[in-house]
Amino acid sequence: KKKDLQQMLKSIEDKEAKMKEIAKTDKAKATELKDKMVWKSAIEKARGNRVKDDPKLLRKTIKRQEQKKEKSKKDWNNRVQAQQNAMKERQKKRKANIKERVQRKKVKKIKK
């Protein structure tokens, strides 16, 4: 999905650049193409399709997705770290219990 948005953004920027180039040489043709694009997006909107042709909104969406991804990555790393810490604590507790049991056995043997 992210690549789709980036591809959309790139194609829109390319179209805008092309429109500027055409506007420099032939203004009538540029206005005609612009009208054509406006009508095309209006027809798509009328059909009920979403038209994603605003580069500003696309950039904002891409940025939001990247932030969401970073947050998710950070949360995951915190979770992994918490699991590792919990495992170390359990191992530490287990070693202490084993050591204590061995000590009790030794004391019991000495009493006999």
Side-chain angles (χ1 to χ4, degrees):
K1 176 135 184 155
K2 181 180 167 188
K3 286 186 179 180
D4 292 342
L5 291 175
Q6 287 178 341
Q7 287 174 350
M8 277 186 195
L9 180 63
K10 187 175 180 342
S11 69
I12 289 170
E13 288 173 344
D14 289 344
K15 284 180 186 176
E16 286 180 354
K18 201 174 198 181
M19 289 291 290
K20 286 181 183 177
E21 287 295 318
I22 293 172
K24 287 179 182 177
T25 57
D26 190 6
K27 292 189 183 211
K29 189 173 182 180
T31 55
E32 183 182 322
L33 285 174
K34 193 169 188 174
D35 287 342
K36 215 181 242 187
M37 286 174 51
V38 169
W39 274 104
K40 186 177 178 181
S41 66
I43 291 170
E44 286 297 314
K45 285 180 185 176
R47 286 184 183 158
N49 297 335
R50 288 190 178 180
V51 179
K52 298 178 181 176
D53 59 352
D54 188 0
K56 187 177 177 184
L57 288 176
L58 284 173
R59 283 190 199 97
K60 192 174 179 182
T61 303
I62 291 169
K63 185 177 179 182
R64 191 178 335 111
Q65 285 179 349
E66 287 174 358
Q67 287 174 343
K68 186 177 178 183
K69 186 177 178 181
E70 285 297 318
K71 184 181 182 298
S72 175
K73 187 177 180 180
K74 184 179 174 186
D75 289 345
W76 183 257
N77 288 336
N78 288 342
R79 181 181 181 276
V80 168
Q81 188 66 36
Q83 276 186 328
Q84 287 175 350
N85 289 342
M87 196 164 89
K88 285 178 184 176
E89 287 296 319
R90 285 194 303 266
Q91 287 174 345
K92 195 175 183 182
K93 187 176 177 181
R94 182 174 182 269
K95 282 183 181 180
N97 287 342
I98 290 171
K99 194 174 185 179
E100 186 182 330
R101 194 176 325 135
V102 168
Q103 285 293 340
R104 278 188 279 160
K105 280 186 177 183
K106 284 181 182 177
V107 169
K108 198 173 181 182
K109 261 189 176 180
I110 292 174
K111 283 185 180 179
K112 284 185 177 181

